[in-house]
Structures are given as structure tokens and as C-alpha cells.
Amino acid sequence: MKTVRGARAVLVIVLLPVVVVVVGGLGSAIMQSVGLMPLIGPVRFNLDAYAATAQDLPVAIGVSLAIAASSTAIAALVGTAAALVVVSGGWLGRLVGMAGAVTISIPHLIGAATIGLLLADSGVLPRLLGIDADAWPPLVGGPWWVAVIAGFAWKESAFVALVVAGTLLTRVAQFDEPAALLGAGRIARIRMIFLPLAAPSLIVASTIVFIYTLGSYEVAWLLGRTYPEPLAVMAIRLFNDVSLTSRTESAAIAVVTVVLAFAAVAVASVAVRRMAVWR
């Protein structure tokens, strides 16, 4: 009983600063966005900040969701495949695990700069392939946000692989070996054992990747187009504007982003709780 109480006390001590920062920051953004904490002018409830961004907001939401969904899907596929290789062991598994650990340690800004140098029309890849800059597709700053998605997918696939591999390494052996002894082939074991066991952790990791990508600023700002802007880029631009009235618009964009993130968490929670492995 004392051990449980001590663990709860430690948990409260650890979570309290996080809750204060998150709730305080989110509450401040909400109050600013509705005019209850203005930098200038009278305190008056209004939705002027949302109305001011209403024209560009739907496009920004669409771009942000498209980038986040594409990056998350690619990272989930690549990360799951890498996790299966790591769990299988051998020199290839150790090599993939080492590559994933190195990838996670690279900051996103440095990774984005590397992707830009690799995929730009005068970058490393077209030079290696001997393709002229005029014939190279606009992958950096182009209409399809290819470089942005590639930057997020490359970095976050290592994170997904780490989470999924950690789950499989602790649980898969007790099911995989009996299935192999009973004559199940590799494909059957992957389909019936590996993927069902990995599904809850894969959904959780993918949700974290989706939310991070949705709110990330650096990669989209460095490798993306100037218009339309993702939500995070728009929020930072408005926050740094010389007009103080733009701060409320930036807060409104931040609140919209948080709402989308909470919606993603809610969908993922429902999906995980409906899984047989979770139950």
C-alpha cells in the first residue's frame, strides 16, 4: 500500500508541471483568440480572430491534414517493416536498429536541410543521376509538398520502428515459436501474430507522429511552398507580424490545431480499445 501511494505521489509531482504548462498555455491561447486577453484594446468576447482567418483557414487545414496523413502513413509502413526486420534478429536487424537510433538523434531542422540538399533541382540526387535542373521535378517547394512529406516520413519512421519493435520484442516470442513449431510459415506468422500484436502500439505511435507533424513548423517552412501555408507556419507568421492584433489570429490558428489534435487522439483511442489484443 505504501509503495502504491509513493508511486502515485511521484506521478502527481511529475505530471503537475506538465498539466500546469499545457492547461495554462491552452487556456491563454483560447482566451486570446476570443478577445478575453487582448494585447491592446478592451476586453470583449468576440470571434473576430476566427473571422479574420476564415478565408485561408480551410485551405491551411486541408494542407496540414494532407501532409500529416501522408507522412504518418509512409512512416507507419516503413517503421513497421523496419520493426519486423529488427525483431527477426541477425546482422540485418542490428543494422536497421542502429540506423533507426541514429535517425532519431538527428534534429528535425538538420534532417529537413539534408532532405532539401538531396531533393532540390540542383541537389545531390539529380547530380548523381545526371539530370539537368530544368528536367528535375519541383520536389522542394513544389505543389505536392514532396520534400516536406519525405522529411517527416524519414524521421518519424524511425520512431515508429522503435515503438513497434519494443512491443514485439517483449511479446512475440511466446507466440511466434509455437506457431513455427506447428508449421506456420513466415507470411502466416506475420499476418496472424506480428501485425495483431503490433497494431495497438502502431496506432499509438502513428497518432503521435500525426499530431507532431500537424503542429510542426520547421520542416514545412524550410521545404514547403509560401502559399498555401500549413497551420503551424501560418500561426508563426501571424505571431511574428508587426501588428499586435495578429497575435489573436495566431492564437485562433493554434486553437484550431489543438482541436484537430484532440480529434485525432479521440479516434485513435476508440480504435485501440476496440482491438482484441487491447481487451
Side-chain angles (χ1 to χ4, degrees):
M1 183 64 69
K2 293 183 178 180
T3 303
V4 175
R5 291 179 179 176
R8 289 178 178 176
V10 172
L11 184 61
V12 170
I13 294 174
V14 172
L15 289 180
L16 185 60
V18 177
V19 172
V20 170
V21 171
V22 172
V23 174
L26 181 58
S28 176
I30 294 174
M31 293 180 67
Q32 286 188 28
S33 68
V34 296
L36 298 180
M37 191 184 292
L39 295 177
I40 57 174
V43 177
R44 179 177 59 87
F45 179 85
N46 61 80
L47 300 177
D48 295 343
Y50 295 92
T53 58
Q55 183 177 358
D56 296 327
L57 188 58
V59 178
I61 291 175
V63 170
S64 298
L65 291 178
I67 293 174
S70 302
S71 303
T72 302
I74 297 173
L77 290 174
V78 176
T80 303
L84 292 177
V85 174
V86 171
V87 171
S88 65
W91 65 270
L92 183 59
R94 291 191 294 270
L95 182 62
V96 172
M98 186 181 303
V102 171
T103 301
I104 290 177
S105 64
I106 298 175
H108 275 81
L109 189 59
I110 296 177
T114 303
I115 292 293
L117 293 174
L118 179 67
L119 298 181
D121 53 8
S122 59
V124 176
L125 190 58
R127 293 187 181 185
L128 289 176
L129 298 176
I131 301 175
D132 294 334
D134 296 335
W136 187 256
L139 303 181
V140 177
W144 298 106
W145 302 84
V146 175
V148 177
I149 295 172
F152 281 126
W154 166 59
K155 279 284 296 176
E156 302 309 323
S157 61
F159 170 75
V160 173
L162 177 66
V163 175
V164 174
T167 302
L168 291 178
L169 286 173
T170 58
R171 304 182 64 183
V172 75
Q174 57 181 318
F175 300 102
D176 184 55
E177 293 179 0
L181 292 175
L182 292 173
R186 180 177 296 273
I187 301 299
R189 298 202 306 273
I190 291 176
R191 183 170 58 88
M192 302 299 295
I193 297 175
F194 283 82
L195 294 182
L197 289 177
S201 59
L202 177 60
I203 291 177
V204 172
S206 298
T207 305
I208 295 173
V209 170
F210 182 88
I211 294 173
Y212 177 83
T213 306
L214 188 67
S216 181
Y217 158 74
E218 306 94 336
V219 179
W221 172 77
L222 185 63
L223 300 178
R225 303 171 60 185
T226 56
Y227 185 85
E229 298 172 307
L231 289 171
V233 177
M234 182 185 294
I236 294 294
R237 176 179 61 80
L238 291 172
F239 185 84
N240 293 327
D241 195 272
V242 294
S243 176
L244 293 179
T245 57
S246 297
R247 294 288 181 91
T248 57
E249 299 172 13
S250 175
I253 299 298
V255 171
V256 171
T257 306
V258 171
V259 170
L260 293 175
F262 277 129
V265 171
V267 172
S269 299
V270 172
V272 170
R273 291 182 180 276
R274 288 185 176 181
M275 290 185 173
V277 175
W278 178 269
R279 294 195 297 265

